[in-house]
Amino acid sequence: MTEQRRCILTIHAHPDDEASKGAPTLAMYHEGGVHTVLVCATGGEEGDLQNPALREAGQPFYGLTPEQTKVKLAELRPSELAESAGIIGFDEVVMLGYRDSGMVDTEPNNHPASFHMAPMDEAIGRFVEIIRRTRPQVIITYNDDQKGYPHPDHVKVHDISVPAFERAGDPAWYPEAGEPWQPSKLYYTVWSRARLVAVHEALLALKGASPYDDEWFAKRVGNDDERITTKLDVGGFLWARSGALRAHATQVDPTEAFWFGLADHELAEVYPYEDWVLARSTVGPVSIGDVENDLFDRIDLDDEIAVAS
Ligand SMILES: [Zn+2]
């Protein structure tokens, strides 16, 4: 009988999404001895250079044509991902192997190797194989409501995750993809309105300006806060977010207030939480009126040892 290890698997669309969504949560569990797995659906091939300082003299993108810029980005992004994953503390990074589909209604949507074009059963099967091999109790994926950022790769990450959660434990699906393994919980990321309002107000109070204007709030932020089931205090792990974002030097402008308006210690005072929505569970729902403060809440590892032996 082997000791059952605790494992969290999180799936993202592009290199850098793991830095902007949930990095402190993953860092906290990694430090607590949980095996942490990052699945990245695409290589981010359609990303642009987002950091103008890298075009200055002496910097890697100085004087490059748009074509050369693209080649250089493709060269740098894998090492940025590796650095970010190392900072957060991922034990494993697994590429799902698809090509970045580009923004909605652009030509790269139609590239035959794009994630967008991948047949659903095939993409779900690739993900199921990773779930069966790494045996996570907890899977984290994107929300079902992506009106705020309807990138086709983000939408598809959600769309393959729900069936993969269900099929991974079903021996009738993908018999060649390893021993069935049923994860216990599937969580969604959520744009917490309470967090954004708190950050916005702190930016106005401390710095006199906020990049989140009324229009941005109206366009990007619904109010999903009543769906939040799970609130983690990650105030001691905000360095994972800022450090991992900085590791993606081509994708994140380190002077951008949207990402770095508040220092880690300021954010820790304003809103030290990451919020999650428990979307599927084999261990029952969160009781109405209750909020979990641990993704492994109610998961009994001994049960799984008994099943596995
Ligand atoms: Zn993305």
Side-chain angles (χ1 to χ4, degrees):
M1 187 172 80
T2 52
E3 180 76 9
Q4 187 59 55
R5 72 176 177 188
R6 290 195 301 161
C7 177
I8 297 181
L9 181 157
T10 181
I11 180 167
H12 285 286
H14 309 107
D16 78 4
D17 287 316
E18 83 293 341
S20 58
K21 292 171 272 294
T25 293
L26 273 297
M28 181 173 78
Y29 280 103
H30 173 77
E31 196 171 288
V34 176
H35 190 79
T36 49
V37 180
L38 167 61
V39 177
C40 193
T42 79
E45 292 85 352
E46 290 300 321
D48 295 319
L49 179 63
Q50 308 281 359
N51 183 355
L54 296 184
R55 284 197 201 285
E56 288 166 11
Q59 294 296 317
F61 291 84
Y62 180 65
L64 299 191
T65 64
E67 292 72 29
Q68 290 168 327
T69 296
K70 217 162 176 127
V71 170
K72 192 82 186 162
L73 278 170
E75 209 178 285
L76 292 177
R77 292 198 73 178
S79 55
E80 292 180 349
L81 177 61
E83 189 186 338
S84 165
I87 289 167
I88 296 165
F90 279 106
D91 294 296
E92 260 185 85
V93 179
V94 190
M95 302 306 287
L96 206 56
Y98 293 106
R99 190 178 188 284
D100 189 336
S101 310
M103 301 299 278
V104 71
D105 294 333
T106 60
E107 200 276 318
N109 293 178
N110 307 314
H111 193 293
S114 73
F115 188 34
H116 184 64
M117 292 293 279
M120 282 300 283
D121 282 346
E122 183 216 272
I124 296 163
R126 286 195 197 186
F127 191 24
V128 163
E129 188 167 0
I130 299 165
I131 294 169
R132 288 179 178 172
R133 180 175 62 74
T134 56
R135 301 162 72 93
Q137 292 85 13
V138 173
I139 295 181
I140 296 175
T141 189
Y142 298 156
N143 206 309
D144 46 359
D145 172 6
Q146 298 189 55
K147 289 192 292 290
Y149 187 64
H151 192 297
D153 293 328
H154 286 239
V155 173
K156 193 146 178 169
V157 161
H158 168 79
D159 289 350
I160 70 165
S161 294
V162 176
F165 180 86
E166 284 159 3
R167 294 179 188 176
D170 181 347
W173 277 100
Y174 311 112
E176 71 296 344
E179 279 280 292
W181 170 261
Q182 181 57 56
S184 304
K185 288 170 152 185
L186 180 70
Y187 285 97
Y188 292 165
T189 52
V190 60
W191 283 88
S192 157
R193 192 175 184 90
R195 178 185 190 278
L196 287 162
V197 168
V199 169
H200 174 66
E201 286 173 355
L203 283 167
L204 290 177
L206 295 171
K207 323 278 166 176
S210 163
Y212 307 100
D213 56 12
D214 290 346
E215 192 191 343
W216 190 88
F217 266 101
K219 197 173 90 190
R220 290 290 294 266
V221 190
N223 195 349
D224 279 339
D225 288 18
E226 76 280 1
R227 297 179 69 195
I228 291 169
T229 57
T230 310
K231 200 172 195 69
L232 305 182
D233 186 339
V234 297
F237 295 88
L238 298 175
W239 49 263
R241 172 188 174 277
S242 52
L245 283 169
R246 284 193 177 89
H248 288 283
T250 64
Q251 300 304 304
V252 179
D253 179 348
T255 65
E256 180 60 74
F258 183 86
W259 299 116
F260 299 111
L262 295 178
D264 294 343
H265 69 275
E266 291 168 330
L267 184 56
E269 281 186 27
V270 169
Y271 200 86
Y273 309 108
E274 285 194 318
D275 301 306
W276 304 99
V277 175
L278 179 60
R280 293 281 191 287
S281 166
T282 65
V283 294
V286 180
S287 314
I288 293 174
D290 238 15
V291 177
E292 294 175 322
N293 54 23
D294 178 6
L295 301 179
F296 286 86
D297 208 18
R298 290 171 288 115
I299 295 176
D300 187 345
L301 294 179
D302 292 341
D303 280 359
E304 287 161 10
I305 291 168
V307 172
S309 60

